Amino acid sequence: MRNGIRLLVFALITFGAVYAQEGLKVLGIKGAVKYQPPGGGEEQSFAKGLALEIGGVVTSGEGAFAMIGFGESVISIGSGTKLELKEVGVGEGKKFRVKLLAGKIAATFEKLSKGSEAYFETPTTVAGVRGTEFYLRLLDDGSSMLYV
């Protein structure tokens, strides 16, 4: 858990808070982070300001780190992580859902608007959030660790 908190603190200090418009945006990158657009499009390097789409997959290399923002919330993607973007709506009545396929994330998730839903999934876990800071890690044996 200590490493997850450090990752989140590093992200917030390095890249600052975000107040982005609708959808997901790349806020910061360190090292080799790739984005596979939905439908098997050509894999591309992360770039600050890159708009991310539903169905896209983010993969961070060894020692790499990335931050994505949505609304007033931030997800920090750790080294060796693979994250699928399932739903990316932000605002009243919208759904937000990502699936952690490998690795770890830390997030600062702001309170949701009325009727909105947010879910973070792994192959073995689904966590719904309303507004909190947390750390989610998929272990090598397929089990998940969630710290709130």
Side-chain angles (χ1 to χ4, degrees):
M1 180 170 165
R2 198 173 284 173
N3 287 339
I5 293 170
R6 286 182 187 146
L7 176 68
L8 183 59
V9 169
F10 170 79
L12 294 174
I13 290 170
T14 304
F15 302 108
V18 59
Y19 298 93
Q21 66 248 12
E22 182 86 18
L24 294 172
K25 296 281 185 191
V26 176
L27 302 176
I29 310 114
K30 178 185 176 231
V33 182
K34 301 289 185 182
Y35 173 66
Q36 177 74 50
E42 186 176 331
E43 186 177 72
Q44 51 192 286
S45 292
F46 248 34
K48 199 168 183 179
L50 177 69
L52 306 174
E53 302 175 57
I54 294 172
V57 176
V58 177
T59 306
S60 63
E62 196 60 38
F65 169 84
M67 243 173 68
I68 56 177
F70 51 98
E72 296 180 15
S73 301
V74 177
I75 298 176
S76 301
I77 301 168
S79 173
T81 295
K82 188 171 187 177
L83 184 70
E84 181 180 3
L85 310 171
K86 304 290 258 176
E87 296 182 67
V88 295
V90 177
E92 190 170 330
K94 303 282 185 162
K95 289 185 181 180
F96 176 85
R97 188 166 54 107
V98 296
K99 185 170 187 177
L100 183 62
L101 303 170
K104 56 195 169 285
I105 60 171
T108 299
F109 206 86
E110 296 300 319
K111 187 173 179 181
L112 296 176
S113 303
K114 184 177 180 176
S116 298
E117 299 175 2
Y119 298 97
F120 291 81
E121 305 174 5
T122 72
T124 60
T125 305
V126 176
V129 298
R130 300 293 307 162
T132 191
E133 292 180 9
F134 67 93
Y135 172 75
L136 178 61
R137 181 175 181 183
L138 184 59
L139 302 174
D140 291 338
D141 67 2
S143 62
S144 302
M145 288 187 344
L146 175 65
Y147 296 99
V148 180

